[in-house]
Amino acid sequence: MKRDDLLISNEIEKQAWELLEKSIVYYQGRPIGTIAAGEASQLGLNYDHCFVRDFVSSALLFLIKGRYDIVRNFLEETLKLQPTQNQLNAYTPGRGLIPASFKVVVNNEQESLEADFGEKAIARVTPVDSCLWWIIILYAYVKASKDIKFALQPEFQQGIMLIMELCLATRFDMYPTLLVPDGACMIHRRLGIYGYPLEIQSLFYAALRAARKLLICAGDAEIVRGIDNRLPLLQEHIRHHYWIDIHRLNVIYRFKGEEYGQTAVNQFNIYADSIAYAKLARWLPKQGGYLAGNVGPSQLDTRFFALGNLLAILCSLASDRQSQAIMNIISEQWDDLVGEMPMKICFPAVEKEEYRIFTGCDPKNIPWSYHNGGSWPVLLWLLTAAAQKTGNISLAQRAIAIAQSRLSEDEWPEYYDGTRGLLIGKQARRYQTWTITGFLLAKELMRQPNYLELISFGEFDLNNASRSCDL
Amino acid sequence: MKRDDLLISNEIEKQAWELLEKSIVYYQGRPIGTIAAGEASQLGLNYDHCFVRDFVSSALLFLIKGRYDIVRNFLEETLKLQPTQNQLNAYTPGRGLIPASFKVVVNNEQESLEADFGEKAIARVTPVDSCLWWIIILYAYVKASKDIKFALQPEFQQGIMLIMELCLATRFDMYPTLLVPDGACMIHRRLGIYGYPLEIQSLFYAALRAARKLLICAGDAEIVRGIDNRLPLLQEHIRHHYWIDIHRLNVIYRFKGEEYGQTAVNQFNIYADSIAYAKLARWLPKQGGYLAGNVGPSQLDTRFFALGNLLAILCSLASDRQSQAIMNIISEQWDDLVGEMPMKICFPAVEKEEYRIFTGCDPKNIPWSYHNGGSWPVLLWLLTAAAQKTGNISLAQRAIAIAQSRLSEDEWPEYYDGTRGLLIGKQARRYQTWTITGFLLAKELMRQPNYLELISFGEFDLNNASRSCDL
């Protein structure tokens, strides 16, 4: 880097740290999280909440800087919001769930926390990802602080167990994946991601990896057996059924339909006509590949979803070979997947009739905007982490340079629009905290790659998996 | 009826009864069910199975004729196939599920039953409806035979409890409805009915009604409390959010989007542009209405689904006023909903891009064929029962006359195609058992309306609901 660039870079980082400091939410005098957006927000919306998924990058930064207290307070307070009773009820959050967000409210000069489990959210979507992210943050906290005692407290062990029970419980279907309603994760509006979306499956796998380590330290055997049952099945299911590269596309393209019985090759009865196979064949680089967005009965969503793919690399849900192929497709299809702002939340956007049907005509998710093919700076840290894990440092450097050239000047918007991410998001808030922390965290991970271990897991091999506490 | 018509009618019924007799499946010398189709079937497919959902109309006929043994054997044998262990596992059927189908297999001259929970089915769909139908059949058996002791046996009480636990358990979302994957019911292929399809909700409500009565007789209080919690919430949710008539369409048409918070009117954030409101406004008769096919985040499926609507009338999930409005729309839109064969499984068919996206290009579900706007004779008995419950006898007579004029001549096909049902289904089996029993059951219900009570429930009012055994 040239001297001038370095000065500018330092200046931007300094500003970002100051903004992060200002975003900290205090509750009864203690810091407990970060607010979603710093820009004065529209009345009646929820940008003044602390979102669990938004806090992830803040948490990792605080842990890297040794500010364990904020993360510890966050974990303690959100845990208190987790329902612990089995209700056999409806319209009350399920036992084990962690809210999407919370805010501090003041009544008669008494502060209290108000949680939102989706019962107030637009379209009443349920945040399935929160409880999975919560375990991942807890693991990172223990890993960074070495404070395993914190996670061994009975209420924390119970919190982990309830989440595991909710996720591992018997449901109607027989897949190892989690069935969720549309919009149950970072994409929290309808976008055709009902069923078994990749993001949820990657988060589930990462949470299982983290929970396993945390529970083993407490000596809990039964639930660990449940986790050990699920991990290999989930891994195999995703690596096989979700994988798309030119070889796999060749197989899918020649699938026979209507196969009955256990010898069926086309187990999900996918019809190749439902896939834009010609476009896809042209788009796939020889050495590249990625995990599909969703797989279900006669359903193969071939959109590329960034968070699910990057997280699959970090938690080794994708194999080493697949991880390299994912990084390779990002590099080879850079204009489509990164363009002028790292990086696209999904590609391509759904347009025309697909837009109408998938989103229900959602004006916020018009083609190449917001969740529907928009670019989200927060993904920069995940791209950087995945690049580092797979040894593609230059790719991360290139992405960070692009982000640095625009984010501060554009006042840290929530998202960007357009096929290349050249437009500031139509309804984007400015000073969005996870835009700021995504950038800072990418920087920190470049400087101190050892912190990758807070969020990264090696290949899981049931036969050689440790059964003693190594935290 | 004229004398000649009567003779023909008697002749057809006689033939139908003989075909039903031939369809009976024997296991270790005892009758235990009926085969799906009498026509010699393609190798490798499953028309030689006994399907739980297909057996419903057979069971009701056997009960009406006092042949309790077949139904009792069916209930006993299918119960033995229900998994009772909690697996925290995957690729094994969930605790409480009842298989979609079973068949008798012979190994070394030993007969055994082989169940299919969807693990062998095309596209690996899970039959969520089976366990709900199973409870409904059990209730009808007790009601007809007065043999309450049968249902009080510990293994039967456990069977009901496991199904209730599976259905009432806490899940990720907070709706009183059941979240299921696409194709989890009679429509067992992808057709855009993922999420909260009406058919499953109607079955769920009917099963809750039946289970409540069966469990109260055994004196079980806790699970009855769970049922009593759910029934009013589910009823209110469906009656409010699923209802469509011209008044409600006016409200939906003027919905505001993006409402946050508990005072939101447009709770599911439905955008009117996603609905064919102009067509729908023209189609809705002044006094008619129906329950929508599905409601979820930014999703309102305005297709009319026959089974869900008719069953909602029978179990009083729909209010009296709504039930009359549903019968009225069937009468006013007779050509679309009944046409030349009672009746359409859903209306209208999805076509063009919607067909491609909803079905994944399923060649069996092309527009106006099979599940996608095809006509299913089995629905005749449900139409007849609903007509009787609501006092629309002439409507049932008209439908039965249409069916009678074609079914026998066409050799009892599984389904019909075309906008008016004039074509025998493209891939329909002949001598489909539930086509035969659907017709016979409609006839029996016309002759002996008192048997409606086997499958019908009055309005549920929590405050006045009986807490003592009245079976």
Side-chain angles (χ1 to χ4, degrees):
Chain A
M1 218 185 278
K2 278 188 251 151
R3 204 187 135 77
D4 276 6
D5 289 351
L6 193 65
L7 280 174
I8 294 169
S9 163
N10 286 344
E11 196 50 44
I12 292 173
E13 275 191 67
K14 195 169 153 250
Q15 185 207 17
W17 280 110
E18 284 165 11
L19 289 167
L20 174 57
E21 201 62 37
K22 279 208 290 188
S23 78
I24 296 175
V25 175
Y26 289 84
Y27 174 55
Q28 300 179 343
R30 302 151 68 217
I32 57 156
T34 47
I35 206 168
E39 186 184 21
S41 79
Q42 245 176 286
L43 214 70
L45 283 173
N46 52 3
Y47 282 88
D48 58 344
H49 281 231
C50 172
F51 281 81
V52 171
R53 74 173 73 89
D54 292 44
F55 184 67
V56 176
S57 40
S58 298
L60 293 172
L61 277 176
F62 291 136
L63 292 175
I64 288 173
K65 292 293 172 189
R67 294 174 66 175
Y68 305 139
D69 59 326
I70 306 185
V71 182
R72 199 168 51 230
N73 296 339
F74 169 88
L75 289 165
E76 276 173 357
E77 294 301 334
T78 45
L79 181 62
K80 287 182 200 158
L81 302 171
Q82 181 191 45
T84 58
Q85 292 306 306
N86 207 344
Q87 312 263 9
L88 289 186
N89 208 333
Y91 295 132
T92 48
R95 180 166 82 158
L97 278 181
I98 296 284
S101 65
F102 60 85
K103 66 184 280 191
V104 180
V105 291
V106 183
N107 269 320
N108 298 325
E109 296 178 24
Q110 281 286 314
E111 281 186 351
S112 64
L113 291 184
E114 192 181 282
D116 184 8
F117 289 88
E119 73 274 34
K120 290 185 281 287
I122 292 169
R124 304 286 184 265
V125 286
T126 314
V128 178
D129 61 344
S130 298
C131 61
L132 304 170
W133 278 124
W134 186 87
I135 291 183
I136 294 167
I137 298 172
L138 175 61
Y139 173 81
Y141 168 81
V142 171
K143 197 83 183 166
S145 68
K146 316 279 177 223
D147 180 11
I148 177 69
K149 272 192 201 145
F150 181 74
L152 293 182
Q153 296 174 89
E155 62 271 32
F156 275 82
Q157 287 292 313
Q158 186 195 247
I160 302 168
M161 295 274 281
L162 291 181
I163 296 168
M164 287 294 106
E165 277 171 22
L166 188 66
C167 294
L168 293 174
T170 301
R171 283 159 201 283
F172 294 122
D173 53 354
M174 279 179 291
Y175 308 149
T177 39
L178 284 187
L179 175 73
V180 297
D182 212 335
C185 51
M186 177 178 173
I187 295 177
H188 53 78
R189 301 171 80 101
R190 196 168 162 228
L191 198 70
I193 60 160
Y194 63 88
Y196 310 91
L198 178 65
E199 179 178 332
I200 289 289
Q201 314 315 325
S202 289
L203 277 168
F204 181 31
Y205 194 80
L208 286 172
R209 298 294 308 271
R212 188 180 188 278
K213 286 181 186 275
L214 294 165
L215 292 166
I216 278 181
C217 290
D220 196 300
E222 202 205 324
I223 195 91
V224 173
R225 257 199 307 279
I227 294 172
D228 283 350
N229 275 341
R230 185 64 69 98
L231 279 170
L233 293 171
L234 179 58
Q235 189 200 76
E236 169 59 24
H237 186 91
I238 298 288
R239 288 184 184 180
H240 181 66
H241 293 294
Y242 282 63
W243 186 247
I244 297 177
D245 60 13
I246 192 69
H247 305 289
R248 179 74 184 157
L249 186 61
N250 257 300
V251 175
I252 295 166
Y253 181 60
R254 294 168 57 84
F255 265 163
K256 282 175 191 47
E258 310 296 312
E259 291 178 297
Y260 175 79
Q262 294 195 306
T263 56
V265 176
N266 182 7
Q267 284 180 28
F268 288 98
N269 204 36
I270 307 293
Y271 299 99
D273 289 353
S274 68
I275 299 167
Y277 51 80
K279 243 187 207 168
L280 197 54
R282 216 163 50 224
W283 193 70
L284 285 166
K286 276 209 180 66
Q287 308 298 329
Y290 65 100
L291 295 167
N294 214 328
V295 174
S298 298
Q299 184 197 17
L300 175 67
D301 183 344
T302 58
R303 282 177 288 174
F304 176 97
F305 288 86
L307 179 48
N309 270 285
L310 296 172
L311 197 59
I313 293 174
L314 292 177
C315 66
S316 293
L317 172 57
S319 71
D320 284 351
R321 194 185 57 76
Q322 290 175 338
S323 297
Q324 287 298 341
I326 294 168
M327 295 314 292
N328 195 50
I329 206 169
I330 293 172
S331 168
E332 296 275 326
Q333 296 296 359
W334 186 266
D335 286 351
D336 285 340
L337 298 176
V338 179
E340 301 300 325
M341 180 50 67
M343 77 180 276
K344 282 261 170 284
I345 191 168
C346 68
F347 178 88
V350 288
E351 304 186 78
K352 296 174 190 159
E353 272 294 279
E354 273 195 337
Y355 157 74
R356 192 182 68 77
I357 295 168
F358 280 17
T359 73
C361 297
D362 186 343
K364 202 159 176 181
N365 271 332
I366 53 170
W368 306 109
S369 182
Y370 202 51
H371 301 147
N372 186 15
S375 303
W376 290 70
V378 63
L379 297 170
L380 179 63
W381 81 263
L382 286 146
L383 177 61
T384 303
Q388 238 163 6
K389 186 168 176 189
T390 55
N392 291 279
I393 308 294
S394 63
L395 193 148
Q397 284 165 336
R398 204 173 144 200
I400 292 172
I402 294 172
Q404 180 162 294
S405 70
R406 297 181 67 197
L407 284 181
S408 167
E409 202 173 324
D410 294 346
E411 299 177 289
W412 312 94
E414 185 184 8
Y415 63 97
Y416 286 80
D417 285 355
T419 52
R420 296 287 177 268
L422 282 162
L423 303 162
I424 294 172
K426 206 179 187 61
Q427 296 188 42
R429 290 283 166 296
R430 311 289 173 126
Y431 301 104
Q432 188 82 13
T433 303
W434 70 356
T435 295
I436 297 162
T437 51
F439 172 73
L440 285 176
L441 183 52
K443 286 275 195 175
E444 288 301 324
L445 287 172
M446 291 302 281
R447 267 194 286 268
Q448 310 180 70
N450 56 311
Y451 281 113
L452 193 61
E453 65 170 21
L454 301 189
I455 196 82
S456 171
F457 296 86
E459 175 79 8
F460 181 76
D461 170 6
L462 185 58
N463 297 320
N464 298 314
S466 164
R467 272 162 193 80
S468 59
C469 179
D470 52 11
L471 280 175
Chain B
M1 218 184 281
K2 281 188 248 151
R3 202 186 138 78
D4 276 7
D5 288 350
L6 193 66
L7 281 174
I8 293 168
S9 164
N10 287 343
E11 196 51 44
I12 292 173
E13 277 191 65
K14 196 170 151 246
Q15 186 207 17
W17 280 109
E18 284 166 10
L19 289 167
L20 173 57
E21 201 61 38
K22 279 208 290 188
S23 79
I24 295 175
V25 175
Y26 288 84
Y27 174 55
Q28 301 179 342
R30 301 153 69 218
I32 56 156
T34 47
I35 206 167
E39 186 183 21
S41 79
Q42 246 176 285
L43 214 70
L45 283 175
N46 52 2
Y47 282 88
D48 58 344
H49 282 232
C50 172
F51 282 81
V52 171
R53 75 172 73 90
D54 291 43
F55 184 67
V56 176
S57 40
S58 298
L60 294 171
L61 277 177
F62 291 136
L63 293 175
I64 289 173
K65 292 293 172 187
R67 293 174 68 176
Y68 306 138
D69 59 325
I70 306 185
V71 182
R72 197 168 52 232
N73 295 339
F74 169 88
L75 289 165
E76 276 173 359
E77 293 301 334
T78 44
L79 181 61
K80 287 182 200 157
L81 301 171
Q82 180 191 44
T84 57
Q85 293 306 307
N86 208 343
Q87 310 264 7
L88 289 186
N89 208 332
Y91 294 133
T92 49
R95 182 166 81 157
L97 277 181
I98 297 284
S101 66
F102 60 84
K103 66 184 281 191
V104 180
V105 292
V106 183
N107 270 320
N108 298 326
E109 296 177 27
Q110 281 286 314
E111 280 187 351
S112 64
L113 291 184
E114 193 182 281
D116 184 8
F117 289 88
E119 74 274 35
K120 291 186 280 286
I122 291 168
R124 304 287 183 265
V125 285
T126 314
V128 179
D129 60 345
S130 297
C131 60
L132 304 170
W133 278 122
W134 186 88
I135 291 182
I136 294 167
I137 299 173
L138 175 60
Y139 173 82
Y141 168 81
V142 170
K143 197 84 183 163
S145 68
K146 316 279 177 221
D147 181 11
I148 177 69
K149 273 193 198 143
F150 180 73
L152 293 182
Q153 297 174 89
E155 61 270 32
F156 275 82
Q157 287 291 314
Q158 187 195 247
I160 302 167
M161 296 275 282
L162 291 181
I163 296 168
M164 286 294 106
E165 278 172 20
L166 188 66
C167 293
L168 293 175
T170 301
R171 284 158 201 284
F172 294 123
D173 53 354
M174 278 178 293
Y175 309 149
T177 39
L178 283 186
L179 174 73
V180 298
D182 211 337
C185 51
M186 178 178 172
I187 295 177
H188 53 76
R189 301 171 79 101
R190 194 168 164 229
L191 198 70
I193 59 159
Y194 63 88
Y196 310 92
L198 178 65
E199 179 178 333
I200 289 289
Q201 314 315 324
S202 289
L203 277 168
F204 181 31
Y205 193 79
L208 286 173
R209 298 295 307 269
R212 188 180 187 278
K213 286 181 184 276
L214 294 165
L215 292 166
I216 278 181
C217 290
D220 196 300
E222 201 206 324
I223 195 90
V224 173
R225 256 199 307 278
I227 293 172
D228 283 350
N229 275 340
R230 185 64 69 98
L231 278 170
L233 293 171
L234 179 58
Q235 190 200 76
E236 168 59 24
H237 185 91
I238 298 288
R239 289 183 184 180
H240 180 67
H241 293 293
Y242 282 62
W243 186 248
I244 297 178
D245 60 12
I246 193 68
H247 305 288
R248 179 72 185 157
L249 186 62
N250 258 299
V251 174
I252 294 167
Y253 182 59
R254 293 168 57 83
F255 265 164
K256 285 178 187 47
E258 310 296 312
E259 290 177 298
Y260 175 80
Q262 294 194 307
T263 56
V265 176
N266 182 7
Q267 284 180 27
F268 288 100
N269 203 35
I270 308 292
Y271 299 100
D273 289 353
S274 68
I275 298 168
Y277 52 80
K279 242 187 208 168
L280 197 53
R282 216 163 49 224
W283 194 71
L284 285 166
K286 275 208 180 67
Q287 307 299 327
Y290 64 100
L291 294 167
N294 214 329
V295 174
S298 297
Q299 184 196 17
L300 175 66
D301 184 345
T302 58
R303 282 177 289 174
F304 176 95
F305 288 86
L307 180 47
N309 271 286
L310 296 172
L311 198 57
I313 293 175
L314 292 177
C315 65
S316 293
L317 172 57
S319 70
D320 284 349
R321 193 184 59 76
Q322 289 176 338
S323 297
Q324 288 297 343
I326 294 168
M327 294 315 292
N328 195 51
I329 206 170
I330 293 172
S331 169
E332 297 274 326
Q333 296 296 358
W334 186 266
D335 287 351
D336 285 340
L337 298 176
V338 180
E340 302 300 326
M341 181 51 66
M343 77 179 272
K344 282 261 170 284
I345 191 168
C346 69
F347 178 86
V350 289
E351 305 188 75
K352 296 174 189 157
E353 272 295 279
E354 273 196 337
Y355 158 74
R356 192 181 69 75
I357 295 169
F358 280 17
T359 74
C361 297
D362 186 343
K364 202 159 177 181
N365 271 333
I366 52 171
W368 306 107
S369 182
Y370 202 52
H371 301 147
N372 186 15
S375 303
W376 290 70
V378 64
L379 298 171
L380 180 62
W381 80 264
L382 285 146
L383 177 61
T384 303
Q388 241 165 4
K389 187 169 177 189
T390 55
N392 291 279
I393 307 294
S394 64
L395 193 148
Q397 283 166 334
R398 201 174 147 200
I400 291 171
I402 294 173
Q404 181 162 295
S405 71
R406 296 180 68 197
L407 284 181
S408 167
E409 203 175 322
D410 293 345
E411 300 176 291
W412 311 94
E414 184 184 9
Y415 63 97
Y416 286 80
D417 286 355
T419 52
R420 295 289 177 267
L422 283 162
L423 303 162
I424 294 172
K426 207 181 186 61
Q427 296 187 42
R429 290 285 166 296
R430 311 288 173 127
Y431 301 104
Q432 189 81 13
T433 303
W434 72 356
T435 295
I436 297 161
T437 52
F439 172 73
L440 286 176
L441 183 52
K443 286 275 194 175
E444 290 300 325
L445 288 172
M446 291 302 280
R447 266 193 286 267
Q448 310 180 69
N450 56 311
Y451 281 112
L452 193 61
E453 65 169 22
L454 301 188
I455 196 83
S456 174
F457 296 85
E459 175 80 9
F460 181 76
D461 170 7
L462 185 57
N463 298 320
N464 298 313
S466 164
R467 272 163 190 81
S468 59
C469 180
D470 53 11
L471 280 173

